[in-house]
Amino acid sequence: MLNRVRDNISRHASQAYDGFQKSSHDCASIVKAHWKELASKGHFKESAYAAALVLLLFSTVMTYMVRRRRLAKNATRPSTPTTPSLEKASSGSSTPRNQGREWGKWVPSDFQMPKPDPYPDWSIEHTKPLPYRPFRYGPKYNVTMGLRSIKHLDWIELDNHYPRYHADKARRIKERGNKCCRTAPEAYPAAVELLEELVEYLPARYPSLYKRTAAGIDNLWSGESFDIITRPLPEDPMQTCARLVQDDLAIMIEKPDSQYYLLAGAILLAGFWRLEDKIGMPLSEIHTSGDVPQFKEKLEKGMLNFFRRLKPEEMVARNNYFMQVDDDLAWSWSIGSEDSADVSWNTAEKNRAIEHHYFRSERQTLRRLPKSGGVVFTIRTYFLPITEIAEEDYVPGRLASAVRSWGDDVSRYKGKERYGDVLLEYLDKKHKEQVERGLDLSREDEVRAYPY
């Protein structure tokens, strides 16, 4: 009986929130209704307990909702992102459901990505990178996919770091070519589809940088022209895609065993991993071979379920972060040569000066291509000196708390033992300086909500 009362109260409380001014009347009505129900059956003692529970639950829910509304009103960016149901592991049978089609056989969708509006006031000289700072206060570090839904117009983010990324990619393609950009035959249609999607999206979103042409696309800044019609294409389509954006790119293809395989990629600025090590691997092996903490226990089922259920109409994003103790965006040489058989944090110099510490953060998007069914990763890396981001309000204190929250497995994965002492000493110092100059710590949620 009390459980039913509680469920009814939760439902009525949500309805009352839409008309907050009449909440007192709603509360009284709910209490009266359930009091009569119990009292009519002679349960007077239970009636008193139910009434008390009603008032307690209602006041708690309303207090929470009012606080969230106040925070949302004052926040300059979205609050903690929601996680789509797609991230959850399937319940019941361990056998994956194919949603009415054979595994490995995609039925083309007629979905077309909406034409985006131009990015407001975008400039290759003045548009700064978005300040992603995707770390949370401890004491607990939660291992999740951390997905959030995004709008299609936000698919690709370009900014005034574009010239550096463009130059680094061109150099890497020239020097390393096939080691960094590959497309398996079965993924070629998906790679061509991705190129076509970018050619439609980029001139609409960034008209001062790109122009759509009859044959393809022109880069107005670099003077490059790309022909996507002539066959055979002049280069691997993934390589051409890489030249157009600041992101690294990867395509996962579903096979008849229901698993998703990395079969196309342009991984030029990854820092810590190499396409040649991962190409052809299924999704799970990509992560287990890289010793991703708690993948089997907390991520694998939900991740596979997400891939299988992802629709072309949906687009999601996630962020992560790492530390690096050298200044190379493309490859972190401190963990070893890019051509070494084995690379690891064990080769990194311990406790380098803080000037050598860099904050490396990825903003990843995932979407399904409607024609081929391939799942596309875009991986945009943001790369800044720790000494720069530590000048931002609230960042050093929150980052120090986040680093201290890493468990042993996460610490090993992120190489904390090689830089932790120097990093935390510096962050603590910068946090103390901010507090002493009067920074109001209670206003952080209003000023910079996750993932900023």
Side-chain angles (χ1 to χ4, degrees), residues 158-185:
L158 303 179
D159 51 55
N160 63 3
H161 287 192
Y162 179 90
R164 175 188 177 179
Y165 284 67
H166 184 273
D168 281 352
K169 285 190 171 189
R171 172 179 57 82
R172 299 273 289 169
I173 289 172
K174 182 178 180 179
E175 293 175 354
R176 302 188 67 83
N178 187 253
K179 292 184 177 181
C180 296
C181 300
R182 293 187 189 179
T183 301

Side-chain angles (χ1 to χ4, degrees), residues 217-265:
I217 190 172
D218 286 349
N219 185 321
L220 302 177
W221 171 78
S222 69
E224 297 167 294
S225 292
F226 299 95
D227 180 350
I228 70 167
I229 294 178
T230 302
R231 295 294 185 272
L233 291 172
E235 64 179 351
D236 185 326
M238 293 301 291
Q239 199 161 281
T240 305
C241 290
R243 297 182 190 274
L244 296 175
V245 296
Q246 291 172 248
D247 309 61
D248 281 343
L249 303 157
I251 300 179
M252 309 294 295
I253 300 294
E254 182 187 277
K255 288 192 175 184
D257 62 0
S258 82
Q259 301 298 308
Y260 279 77
Y261 291 78
L262 175 57
L263 296 182

Side-chain angles (χ1 to χ4, degrees), residues 303-417:
M303 188 177 294
L304 291 174
N305 183 57
F306 164 77
F307 272 77
R308 290 164 180 155
R309 294 177 59 187
L310 182 63
K311 301 175 182 178
E313 298 84 359
E314 300 165 334
M315 186 177 294
V316 300
R318 65 181 301 271
N319 295 78
N320 60 27
Y321 69 98
F322 301 90
M323 304 301 159
Q324 188 170 319
V325 290
D326 59 71
D327 61 356
D328 195 330
L329 170 65
W331 176 258
S332 178
W333 51 262
S334 60
I335 67 170
S337 167
E338 190 170 4
D339 293 312
S340 295
D342 184 35
V343 295
S344 76
W345 273 103
N346 294 329
T347 65
E349 180 182 344
K350 187 172 182 179
N351 292 333
R352 296 194 78 191
I354 195 63
E355 289 75 20
H356 299 291
H357 290 53
Y358 283 76
F359 177 74
R360 187 180 188 101
S361 176
E362 292 178 349
R363 184 248 191 190
Q364 302 175 358
T365 72
L366 295 94
R367 57 168 296 209
R368 189 184 291 280
L369 296 170
K371 296 178 183 178
S372 64
V375 176
V376 176
F377 274 88
T378 69
I379 310 163
R380 168 64 199 280
T381 299
Y382 295 81
F383 192 64
L384 296 165
I386 285 290
T387 53
E388 181 176 323
I389 70 166
E391 295 298 323
E392 301 171 6
D393 286 352
Y394 304 104
V395 165
R398 177 154 53 97
L399 181 54
S401 179
V403 172
R404 289 189 169 99
S405 75
W406 299 347
D408 291 343
D409 53 351
V410 176
S411 294
R412 285 192 298 271
Y413 179 67
K414 293 180 180 280
K416 179 181 175 181
E417 189 268 340

Side-chain angles (χ1 to χ4, degrees), residues 105-173:
K105 293 185 178 180
W106 174 252
V107 179
S109 166
D110 59 3
F111 172 77
Q112 292 184 345
M113 195 167 80
K115 182 178 180 179
D117 294 328
Y119 192 105
D121 302 319
W122 190 87
S123 163
I124 199 169
E125 294 88 12
H126 304 298
T127 300
K128 295 181 179 180
L130 292 176
Y132 290 112
R133 308 292 181 258
F135 40 84
R136 304 179 189 273
Y137 283 103
K140 186 177 181 180
Y141 181 88
N142 294 310
V143 177
T144 67
M145 287 173 65
L147 300 177
R148 64 183 185 278
S149 297
I150 62 171
K151 298 178 180 179
H152 288 88
L153 62 83
D154 294 323
W155 182 30
I156 300 294
E157 294 179 350
L158 303 179
D159 51 55
N160 63 3
H161 287 192
Y162 179 90
R164 175 188 177 179
Y165 284 67
H166 184 273
D168 281 352
K169 285 190 171 189
R171 172 179 57 82
R172 299 273 289 169
I173 289 172

